[in-house]
Amino acid sequence: MPNKMKKIGVMTSGGDSPGMNAAIRAVTRTCAYHNIECVGIYRGYEGMIEGDFKDLTARNVKGIINKGGTILKSARSKEFRTPEGRKKAYEALKAKEIDGLVLVGGDGTFTGALIFNQEFGFPVMGIPGTIDNDIYGTSHTLGYDTALNTVVEVIDKIRDTASSHNRLFFVEVMGRDAGHIALNVGVGAGAEEILIPEENLGLERLLESLRRSKASGKSSSIVVVAEGDKIGKNVFELKDYVEENMTEYEVRVSVLGHMQRGGSPSCFDRVLASRMGVKAVESLMEGISNQMVGLLNDKIALTPLEKAIKGQSKINKELIRVSDIMTT
């Protein structure tokens, strides 16, 4: 395998997600396997500009595969959005004699990497790390599977309370403008209705669905709402609307928030991070750049960063049909 890489940097950027540490470990140990030095870049692009670097070895990344969050920290960087900031970052990398970068993050991270490569010709490889699963070119992003398991467990607990008090619960989950988390956990947790941005249910149809559930003998209901759903201005407006039109229900709202991002990564995310980390390093060694490592049909595949940024992840239409049948 031809290799001009003597030193590779790895960083995490944007929102944290379970599996980022497993990816850092995978990149570091793949570098060690191929006798390449590995450098951790702290606090994303901000740390890159400031030269906040630490040499990583196979030994000092032990014990992190099971940890959520990111040991390299993450931060937003306004300065990196300027040509002057990116020039500082480039000079810091060159001063540290770093030859290529592996960046773990989402579309904002990849956009920065693409511009950086275009300006300085610096080799970059992306690993998708976000619980939202909203990146084109991969069926799973790091942290997505863990987030699903976390949310299903929480909804199971909420259902115990809903059943005890004959209540209707609106449970808002993360996902920005994508309904992947809501759709999957809604089916997995047996929700009576699922509201996602990709399918506009409408307020009247929501009421009809809840009335059917009530008529069928259900004394409590769970409605999973993606945070980007467009039916109401927010989940609390939905609560008020249902209370006005269905007085027989006690309605409660549970916004799960950042608990969905934390926690020990699932086995799936740990294995996926390991596969992606190996591919990212070995791609740089082969002279490949400007690509994102993804999972397609259970195989590790590369997608140009530009496509990953501009493309749209597609909601699973078959799962929407399954959810319609399951909520009957």
Side-chain angles (χ1 to χ4, degrees), residues 30 55 154 156 174 273 281 307 328:
T30 305
D55 293 337
V154 171
D156 286 347
M174 281 181 161
V281 171
K307 278 192 177 179
T328 300

Side-chain angles (χ1 to χ4, degrees), residues 4-15:
K4 295 180 181 178
M5 294 279 157
K6 291 186 170 36
K7 192 179 288 189
I8 289 176
V10 59
M11 60 170 260
T12 53
S13 179

Side-chain angles (χ1 to χ4, degrees), residues 20 25 63 92 165 195 266 306:
M20 281 184 164
R25 173 182 180 271
H165 296 276
L195 307 182
S266 65
E306 192 169 9

